Amino acid sequence: MTNLSVPPAFWFFAGAVAMLVMPKRGRPLLRLAIPPLALLSLMGLPEGRHLQFELLGFELCLGQVDKLSAVFGYVFIIIAFAGLLYSLHVRDDSEHFWAMLYAGSAIGAVFSGDLISFYLFWELMAISSVFLIWSHRTPQAIAAGFRYLLVHLFGGALLLAGILLWVHQKGTIEFSGPLGGGGARWLILVSFMLNAAVPPLHPWLPDAYPEASPTGAIYLTAYTTKASVYALLRAFPGEGILMWLGAIMALYGVIWAILQNDIRRLLAYHIVSQVGYMVCGVGIGTALSMSGSAAHAFTHILYKALLFMGTGALIHATGMRKMTQFQGRGLFRLLPEAFLFYMIGAFSISSVPLFSGYISKPMILEAALHEDQEVVYFLLHLASIGTWLCTAFKLPYYTWFGEKTPRGTLRIDPLPLSMKLGMAFLSSLCVLLGIYPSLLYRLLPYPFEFSPYSARHLIDTLQMLSASALSVWLLLGILKPHEGITLDTDWLYRKGAREFVAFCGWLYDLRHQIQGRMRTLVKALVLLSSNPLEIPRLLKGVAPRPYDPDRHRLPVGIGVLLSVLSFFLLSLVLFL
Amino acid sequence: MRVILLILVFVFGLMGMLAPHGHPEFSWQKLPIFDLVFGLLGCALLILFSEALGKYFLFRREDYYDEP
């Protein structure tokens, strides 16, 4: 194997810059050539720490290659290729530029062997991804992009604070194993959880991803959350709180997904749910569960991008994005290929046997049982029913089929060949992995024993899938999509913050009023104490007169009389 | 479709009855059609629970966040 000893991320950065200077005609070919070059350079790097150099007294490392970083590296490169293939028809070169930068920074973060370069790639990931949201150029996309950016800059600030504290406490910037002890790790953990969209820090994801352009959204689904799963696997294996948060997150995602009307928002909530399985696997912390997390990240990136490609194709062809708009318009006759590819993604995410999810998700459930975590197992199991009912029934039924009274047919733009090729590429990978799990299992970081195609497991899965399918079919009417949106924790900064500002205004007014009252009171007291002799007039409601010695002072004679009288009384007491 | 699903449920249920169980670690694993019942009830529960949650707490108008 040729050893192109540059970090795999380098090819993406170089490609992004080269694309800007080369003639327009050659650019598509250049874009497609980048991921294979990166793949070659990754395969050329043996395990170990490579590409180390010193900067300002710190030892940086851009090529930390072990099985954990490699498995994420491979899938990140594959999905970059799929995304670039799918968007080959897009003329907007700025979108491709930011996509390559985004892919490069995610891959760079995964292979960083020190906290400083990890942090720099992490921030670059946030900045480049926001341009993919803005590339849709709608007012909603611009607004959602700003919210996304603010949340991620906050997360980045937490990470930076954590890293600075960590380096101060431990004196090392190496990032190769678990981070243990000290307050710094909590800051780092929260910033990783924010990027992994762990509730209640998750609403940036379903807010922003559905607003991105159909092509830009493909990259978004892959990198930010899964780079966080990688970071959690590296730095926080076996962190108990992650097991519970992950299990709750898996269920939370599907419950909210069931209520969505926007097809890509529905799928975005399923990202939250699916990443929940991975976070839970990190928290369980056994070799099987953590290999399961890595495997699930791998398969999830492929099928989730495929699902977004299928729905993105609809948005590209029709310009519409909601189930209430698609319903009953006979879309199946117009876009059957998008339906076919979408369903392969839906079967994969629902872990139907022979599709990719089936080989990865059960690893995490099995690991939960091995550790006697029955509650976690049932939470995850219930969440997988929700995934199945939503992605394989609700969305496709109300999008491609729906009620039998057609509301007039649609005018659609034909799908470009590149979109079909991108979907076909990922579909074939999903089926390939489902049939040959060993292709993925040999890449996984920790040794484990698990065979997805045991008879019992196969039958149990088929029982669960068929029974819940029957249940959905009976309740399909209740699942009918609604116009409108659902509340989530982003209410806190979208509406709650506004309410808070209004509350602060009210508080300010209150202070102002109290101050005014106090001033009147003080004024009155000043008046009274300057001349108490005017109190009778004041009580009558007549304006008090200022102190005047000639009017208000008693005559001298009275004073003399009083002193003579007191002397008289004193002498009486003393001498009698 | 409903009939096909019913037949499938029946077939997989029967297969569950016939197939031997390896080494059940938990009491519920001994039940040959546990996943069938879990799927049927869990799915209905999820649908009803989330729709109720939406109806009573979560649904808002499309322009909810645009209002001043």
Side-chain angles (χ1 to χ4, degrees):
Chain A
M1 195 59 62
T2 40
N3 187 354
L4 308 170
S5 66
V6 287
F10 163 82
W11 293 104
F12 287 91
F13 296 127
V17 176
M19 199 186 65
L20 295 181
V21 292
M22 77 182 295
K24 264 192 180 297
R25 193 176 295 171
R27 288 177 189 178
L29 203 64
L30 172 80
R31 293 203 293 270
L32 285 188
I34 299 295
L37 284 170
L39 196 64
L40 275 183
S41 91
L42 173 56
M43 290 162 96
L45 285 172
E47 285 195 17
R49 289 169 72 82
H50 310 279
L51 309 154
Q52 305 190 65
F53 55 93
E54 205 174 287
L55 187 78
L56 303 171
F58 288 114
E59 179 87 1
L60 301 190
C61 169
L62 294 180
Q64 174 174 253
V65 182
D66 53 15
K67 287 194 98 171
L68 179 59
S69 58
V71 67
F72 278 87
Y74 281 125
V75 70
F76 280 5
I77 292 170
I78 293 171
I79 208 65
F81 179 76
L84 290 167
L85 180 62
Y86 180 78
S87 62
L88 209 58
H89 64 282
V90 174
R91 298 251 172 86
D92 178 3
D93 278 329
S94 73
E95 187 182 305
H96 299 305
F97 174 81
W98 292 112
M100 281 201 251
L101 230 51
Y102 184 36
S105 50
I107 295 165
V110 162
F111 290 106
S112 292
D114 68 279
L115 288 166
I116 293 179
S117 41
F118 178 80
Y119 170 74
L120 292 176
F121 284 125
W122 191 264
E123 287 289 34
L124 187 60
M125 211 156 63
I127 293 165
S128 51
S129 56
V130 79
F131 283 94
L132 291 174
I133 299 166
W134 283 337
S135 66
H136 206 192
R137 297 199 165 86
T138 60
Q140 293 88 341
I142 308 281
F146 272 113
R147 288 194 292 272
Y148 173 90
L149 192 60
L150 286 174
V151 171
H152 280 277
L153 292 183
F154 171 69
L158 283 181
L159 180 61
L160 181 62
I163 289 174
L164 290 177
L165 258 177
W166 177 262
V167 173
H168 179 71
Q169 286 171 352
K170 311 274 170 173
T172 172
I173 60 162
E174 196 180 307
F175 182 48
S176 54
L179 303 177
R185 74 191 292 270
W186 289 105
L187 284 171
I188 298 176
L189 178 63
V190 172
S191 83
F192 287 173
M193 277 166 29
L194 188 141
N195 265 33
V198 177
L201 306 170
H202 69 289
W204 57 268
L205 193 158
D207 179 25
Y209 284 10
E211 302 298 344
S213 62
T215 43
I218 309 303
Y219 309 101
L220 292 171
T221 62
Y223 293 124
T224 302
T225 45
K226 262 60 77 186
S228 306
V229 171
Y230 160 78
L232 287 171
L233 274 170
R234 169 129 357 245
F236 299 100
E239 182 74 45
I241 190 176
L242 290 178
M243 177 180 76
W244 288 106
L245 282 175
I248 293 167
M249 181 178 172
L251 199 57
Y252 187 101
V254 296
I255 290 174
W256 259 252
I258 291 172
L259 302 174
Q260 301 309 311
N261 185 21
D262 185 313
I263 49 178
R264 284 193 302 171
R265 185 154 289 135
L266 184 152
L267 294 175
Y269 271 110
H270 279 298
I271 300 181
V272 174
S273 167
Q274 296 296 305
V275 174
Y277 287 90
M278 302 167 213
V279 170
C280 183
V282 178
I284 295 171
T286 59
L288 177 61
S289 78
M290 299 212 299
S291 277
S293 290
H296 203 47
F298 196 103
T299 56
H300 169 83
I301 287 175
L302 303 179
Y303 60 65
K304 183 56 76 174
L306 177 57
L307 290 168
F308 264 74
M309 284 179 176
T311 46
L314 292 190
I315 293 168
H316 172 89
T318 63
M320 299 192 296
R321 51 190 281 185
K322 292 180 187 141
M323 278 182 263
T324 43
Q325 294 170 320
F326 290 124
Q327 200 191 338
R329 286 182 188 264
L331 215 57
F332 178 67
R333 271 177 290 114
L334 301 171
L335 290 165
E337 63 276 62
F339 174 73
L340 182 76
F341 291 131
Y342 172 87
M343 284 314 285
I344 291 176
F347 284 160
S348 301
I349 192 175
S350 312
S351 70
V352 174
L354 300 181
F355 294 90
S356 65
Y358 183 71
I359 67 165
S360 57
K361 194 197 283 180
M363 291 173 72
I364 300 167
L365 275 88
E366 189 76 19
L369 277 188
H370 280 318
E371 296 301 299
D372 285 338
Q373 296 290 351
E374 280 182 87
V375 180
V376 171
Y377 171 82
F378 280 116
L379 285 173
L380 296 179
H381 208 33
L382 196 60
S384 63
I385 295 178
T387 312
W388 167 239
L389 84 90
C390 231
T391 51
F393 290 92
K394 177 173 178 171
L395 194 152
Y397 179 76
Y398 285 109
T399 302
W400 276 276
F401 304 98
E403 287 157 351
K404 280 184 182 146
T405 48
R407 300 186 298 170
T409 42
L410 279 171
R411 198 185 62 79
I412 60 159
D413 293 338
L415 289 186
L417 181 66
S418 58
M419 279 187 156
K420 291 180 192 167
L421 286 177
M423 290 191 279
F425 172 65
L426 284 185
S427 300
S428 49
L429 282 183
C430 284
V431 177
L432 187 72
L433 287 178
I435 296 173
Y436 298 107
S438 58
L439 286 178
L440 174 59
Y441 286 173
R442 76 172 73 137
L443 294 176
L444 295 178
Y446 313 103
F448 63 92
E449 270 185 38
F450 179 73
S451 59
Y453 287 108
S454 72
R456 188 71 233 178
H457 181 222
L458 197 62
I459 290 171
D460 285 348
T461 309
L462 290 173
Q463 280 188 2
M464 194 272 272
L465 292 174
S466 61
S468 41
L470 183 67
S471 194
V472 182
W473 209 253
L474 296 174
L475 294 170
L476 207 54
I478 301 178
L479 278 175
K480 201 171 172 195
H482 300 261
E483 281 287 353
I485 56 163
T486 52
L487 294 183
D488 204 341
T489 51
D490 56 347
W491 183 91
L492 286 173
Y493 55 79
R494 295 178 73 180
K495 204 84 170 175
R498 215 182 284 170
E499 308 278 331
F500 181 71
V501 170
F503 174 72
C504 289
W506 177 82
L507 219 57
Y508 177 80
D509 285 345
L510 187 71
R511 183 200 68 94
H512 209 71
Q513 277 183 17
I514 292 174
Q515 193 183 3
R517 299 260 162 90
M518 292 297 279
R519 192 181 293 155
T520 334
L521 191 70
V522 168
K523 259 188 194 163
L525 281 175
V526 165
L527 211 61
L528 285 180
S529 55
S530 70
N531 193 5
L533 288 166
E534 287 292 311
I535 290 177
R537 280 175 70 91
L538 208 62
L539 289 177
K540 280 185 213 157
V542 187
R545 289 165 302 195
Y547 178 74
D548 178 6
D550 292 335
R551 179 180 298 133
H552 293 106
R553 199 157 56 191
L554 298 175
V556 180
I558 291 179
V560 174
L561 180 69
L562 281 176
S563 45
V564 170
L565 264 176
S566 48
F567 272 119
F568 174 69
L569 284 174
L570 202 64
S571 52
L572 273 181
V573 172
L574 285 176
F575 301 114
L576 287 181
Chain B
M1 187 73 180
R2 212 171 289 179
V3 179
I4 300 172
L5 285 173
L6 258 175
I7 294 170
L8 280 179
V9 168
F10 185 72
V11 169
F12 293 138
L14 206 68
M15 280 165 76
M17 301 275 194
L18 297 176
H21 214 297
H23 306 283
E25 290 173 51
F26 300 94
S27 54
W28 45 267
Q29 282 183 330
K30 288 180 196 145
L31 225 66
I33 53 162
F34 176 80
D35 281 73
L36 203 85
V37 179
F38 188 76
L40 205 67
L41 296 182
C43 186
L45 182 85
L46 257 184
I47 294 176
L48 296 175
F49 175 74
S50 56
E51 288 292 338
L53 197 70
K55 193 174 169 196
Y56 294 110
F57 295 105
L58 300 176
F59 281 131
R60 290 291 182 278
R61 287 212 318 279
E62 197 75 36
D63 58 353
Y64 174 71
Y65 284 118
D66 304 326
E67 295 166 355

